[in-house]
Amino acid sequence: MPFDCRHRQRHGQAACLTSCPATPVFALVPVARPGDVPPAEPRTIDVAVLDMHHGWPNLGHDAIVHAMQNAVCDIAAPLSHAGLRFRVLSYDIRRGHAVPESPGGRHALYVGTGGPGHLDPRWNDGVSDGAQGIHEDGGWEVPLFRLFDAIREADDAALLGVCHTFGVMCRWLGVAEAVLRGDDKGGKSSGIVDNILATAALSHPWFSRFADALPDHRRFRVLDNRLYDLIPGPALPSSGIGAMAYETRPDGGAGEGITMIEVAREAGGVMPRILGVNHHPEIVNRPRLLVMLEQKYARGDVSRAWYDERRQTLTEPIADEWGDRLLHLTSSYTFMGPLRYHVYRLARQRGESLGLAPAVDEAMLPLAYSFQRTAAR
């Protein structure tokens, strides 16, 4: 399953607290300011995480990093044999204005996190509705939009964005407006809710597989935590952007808010190359999240009260096993599978560029959790 490595499946969730086969070939480097970027290395594959949390405590950032580490763990042996390693550079976008360089140099994969506050930094004055107490300087936005433009132009670069990054991507593209959810929608959308695949997704080479695996071939479960709907504007139909999913109305039909977009596809024509989702597919597999929570508390990153609150949530009995499996399915197709594909593609390409032959092929590895418990496609 693409949200868990084989080592953890064999030895249990706690094994990663003391031993991880990926440790020799995987590292995380925070980039708090532009000058904190380490030198590039020929045998080091650098992946950029766009940290949009503005310093807020969260599990999402670590969940994304651990998803990358899980992917690397499963190819640790061929990476080590080839003398290659992965390094995640986590750029503090909103607080430190640390925006990574454009593709063509060290980065070809960019992954954007969730985060608090309004999707337009000009509204984050610390007091406005929807700012969530965030007060920020929006000087990062223009450089980030230039980066997004460069990623879109580079056929071998990929961008995956969740939640807050999804909203920022919609603003960059000019295809949807961020609207604070009102009382008519029950305010903030939080917890497990349904989304619905758009018609275009049903014929998509990747998302059609997702549709085939869903019980009714359209509706899917997501873990939501958002204050804003992204309401499509008149530019969307002619923009070339693929609307892949929407929120659901109380009657189960498609609502007005868009929740998944595909901006570009990889050269093979199957996997999304630029993909944004307005939910949290990185937050999956509660035993793994408990391990991450223990690590976060042990490092002193969070308070005891913050730790206790989230531990209680993560240890509550699962009321709906099928719902939990559906969340895994959603994570596989909307984030974990595409992430693994692009990570493995980078490993293969870097090895080939150096005249090496790491035994990694992004087209041959399991990428999707199977709801029916059959072999992954």
Side-chain angles (χ1 to χ4, degrees):
M1 294 180 287
F3 46 80
D4 231 353
C5 60
R6 290 189 294 268
H7 177 76
R8 185 174 287 153
Q9 290 180 46
R10 285 195 297 266
H11 301 289
Q13 304 296 329
C16 294
L17 286 171
T18 56
S19 64
C20 174
T23 300
V25 293
F26 184 86
L28 170 65
V29 178
V31 180
R33 296 289 185 273
D36 296 341
V37 181
E41 302 172 2
R43 290 177 179 254
T44 297
I45 304 163
D46 286 329
V47 176
V49 167
L50 313 177
D51 185 358
M52 306 296 285
H53 285 101
H54 203 273
W56 267 42
N58 65 91
L59 283 174
H61 175 276
D62 286 359
I64 287 172
V65 173
H66 275 252
M68 294 184 190
Q69 185 170 346
N70 288 342
V72 171
C73 182
D74 281 338
I75 57 170
L79 287 175
S80 180
H81 181 75
L84 298 173
R85 71 171 186 142
F86 273 84
R87 179 171 59 184
V88 174
L89 304 186
S90 179
Y91 294 83
D92 190 339
I93 302 291
R94 298 170 65 190
R95 189 175 53 170
H97 292 203
V99 177
E101 65 184 68
S102 295
R106 72 164 69 220
H107 294 309
L109 174 58
Y110 304 78
V111 184
T113 73
H118 200 287
L119 299 164
D120 184 339
R122 284 166 286 274
W123 286 96
N124 286 325
D125 56 8
V127 295
S128 298
D129 289 345
Q132 296 183 279
I134 295 294
H135 189 282
E136 68 177 318
D137 172 2
W140 54 267
E141 190 179 64
V142 170
L144 185 67
F145 284 5
R146 284 200 297 262
L147 171 64
F148 287 172
D149 287 337
I151 295 170
R152 193 176 185 183
E153 292 298 317
D155 291 340
D156 60 347
L159 167 64
L160 307 176
V162 305
C163 204
H164 196 94
T165 300
F166 169 84
V168 172
M169 290 169 66
C170 286
R171 293 192 58 252
W172 157 59
L173 295 163
V175 297
E177 178 185 1
V179 177
L180 188 66
R181 291 174 61 87
D183 293 339
D184 59 321
K185 287 191 172 182
K188 181 180 180 179
S189 178
S190 182
I192 299 173
V193 302
D194 280 352
N195 280 186
I196 189 166
L197 290 174
T199 301
L202 305 183
S203 58
H204 188 284
W206 175 248
F207 293 117
S208 62
R209 305 180 190 186
F210 185 24
D212 288 346
L214 292 169
D216 71 353
H217 308 299
R218 290 294 293 270
R219 287 180 298 170
F220 59 100
R221 296 278 180 89
V222 303
L223 182 60
D224 229 355
N225 185 34
R226 60 186 176 89
L227 291 170
Y228 294 92
D229 287 334
L230 274 298
I231 307 302
L236 180 60
S238 60
S239 66
I241 310 303
M244 294 290 115
Y246 290 86
E247 64 178 349
T248 55
R249 300 190 307 263
D251 64 5
E256 59 180 349
I258 192 169
T259 58
M260 184 161 63
I261 56 171
E262 181 191 46
V263 183
R265 204 171 301 170
E266 52 84 30
V270 175
M271 189 64 70
R273 181 171 71 83
I274 301 179
L275 175 69
V277 299
N278 204 16
H279 60 274
H280 284 282
E282 79 280 19
I283 304 296
V284 69
N285 191 343
R286 294 202 291 180
R288 187 187 72 179
L289 290 173
L290 281 167
V291 171
M292 290 167 44
L293 186 62
E294 296 288 347
Q295 292 174 324
K296 203 170 189 67
Y297 181 66
R299 292 196 303 262
D301 294 346
V302 297
S303 68
R304 180 73 194 195
W306 192 92
Y307 165 83
D308 286 342
E309 179 183 350
R310 280 144 187 85
R311 194 178 196 289
Q312 180 178 353
T313 299
L314 292 172
T315 53
E316 288 178 357
I318 298 175
D320 182 358
E321 182 184 355
W322 289 107
D324 199 51
R325 293 186 188 182
L326 280 170
L327 281 177
H328 290 169
L329 187 71
T330 295
S331 291
S332 294
Y333 278 100
T334 66
F335 184 71
M336 299 295 185
L339 178 67
R340 281 205 167 209
Y341 179 90
H342 291 295
V343 165
Y344 295 160
R345 174 180 60 84
L346 292 180
R348 177 183 59 78
Q349 290 177 340
R350 181 63 61 89
E352 291 174 352
S353 72
L354 295 172
L356 306 170
V360 179
D361 184 347
E362 67 272 21
M364 299 301 292
L365 291 164
L367 295 173
Y369 169 84
S370 174
F371 185 73
Q372 291 87 2
R373 301 283 188 185
T374 57
R377 304 191 206 194

